[in-house]
Amino acid sequence: MARKDFDPATIAPDGRPSAQATLFDPEAGGPWRGFVEGAALGGAITVLTYGTDDVGAGPRLHVHPYDETFIVVAGKARFFVGDAVLDAGAGQVVLGPAGVPHRFENLGPGRLQTIDIHHSPTWIQTDLD
């Protein structure tokens, strides 16, 4: 499907060079496999990756002053976002709005793998438990 959402002639490049960073070492252990802050790349978002084989495991309850978007890459997770409880599987996306406490856990069976997009050039977080 071809898309033409805007006229490229109306956007001038801002002069930033392309950039590259390593998000995670595929051989590394542990659930938090890595992150790249947008500031390191000259971008506006920070990207984290989380993965665990342990059913029930997940990040602790926390909050950010910006939105966080979760992409479930593999497995199934239960997200607790404010008063909402959302189950999401591979290929689904969940939004944690700014200022709303949230966490998620692996529903199993098997591995849960997520990519977590922080809508900020730096990772800012307060743990609540």
Side-chain angles (χ1 to χ4, degrees):
M1 169 172 84
R3 293 183 59 150
K4 187 168 180 170
D5 297 329
F6 72 100
D7 179 358
T10 66
I11 302 297
D14 65 11
R16 288 179 297 152
S18 60
Q20 180 179 9
T22 299
L23 178 59
F24 65 91
D25 174 354
E27 304 301 320
W32 288 105
R33 305 213 26 222
F35 71 95
V36 173
E37 289 194 330
L41 297 173
I45 63 165
T46 294
V47 180
L48 286 74
T49 184
Y50 178 89
T52 184
D53 296 308
D54 297 333
V55 175
R60 63 193 329 160
L61 185 67
H62 62 278
V63 66
H64 309 284
Y66 48 76
D67 290 346
E68 183 174 8
T69 301
F70 304 93
I71 303 166
V72 180
V73 177
K76 190 169 182 183
R78 177 161 290 148
F79 289 84
F80 301 87
V81 183
D83 294 331
V85 178
L86 307 164
D87 289 351
Q92 293 188 297
V93 177
V94 173
L95 174 68
V100 177
H102 55 272
R103 68 181 184 86
F104 60 86
E105 60 188 35
N106 182 4
L107 286 178
R111 184 164 187 79
L112 169 65
Q113 188 69 55
T114 67
I115 302 252
D116 308 339
I117 301 169
H118 291 235
H119 296 240
S120 169
T122 58
W123 183 4
I124 305 166
Q125 176 171 309
T126 296
D127 294 332
L128 301 173
D129 63 358

